[in-house]
Amino acid sequence: MPKKIRELIAIIEQAGFINKGGKGSHRNYFHPSGVRLTISGNLGDDALRYQEHEVLSKLKEVSK
């Protein structure tokens, strides 16, 4: 079962990403290390597979 968008947001915010706003359903997150990530979709929507992979990839990049 895919995660919800709100779950992905909670995960990246715990990792230190900061929401810098966005247009419509897009949210732009920045990490102090310089990593950027955009999450699109409403909070209750199921996350798409590529979104989950992108979040995992960015988390690995931040942890290096």
Side-chain angles (χ1 to χ4, degrees):
M1 178 135 186
K3 294 185 183 319
K4 298 288 185 185
I5 297 294
R6 74 171 61 89
E7 293 175 284
L8 292 182
I9 290 173
I11 291 168
I12 63 174
E13 285 180 345
Q14 286 177 347
F17 282 84
I18 301 166
N19 185 357
K20 295 292 186 174
K23 275 189 155 186
S25 64
H26 289 72
R27 294 163 197 84
N28 298 306
Y29 286 89
F30 295 90
H31 193 269
S33 67
V35 177
R36 300 175 359 167
L37 175 64
T38 299
I39 301 285
S40 63
N42 294 317
L43 295 176
D45 292 346
D46 288 338
L48 300 175
R49 183 174 290 154
Y50 84 89
Q51 290 173 314
E52 291 186 29
H53 288 290
E54 186 177 16
V55 166
L56 291 176
S57 170
K58 297 295 182 173
L59 291 175
K60 287 180 185 175
E61 192 176 330
V62 167
S63 66
K64 290 184 180 181

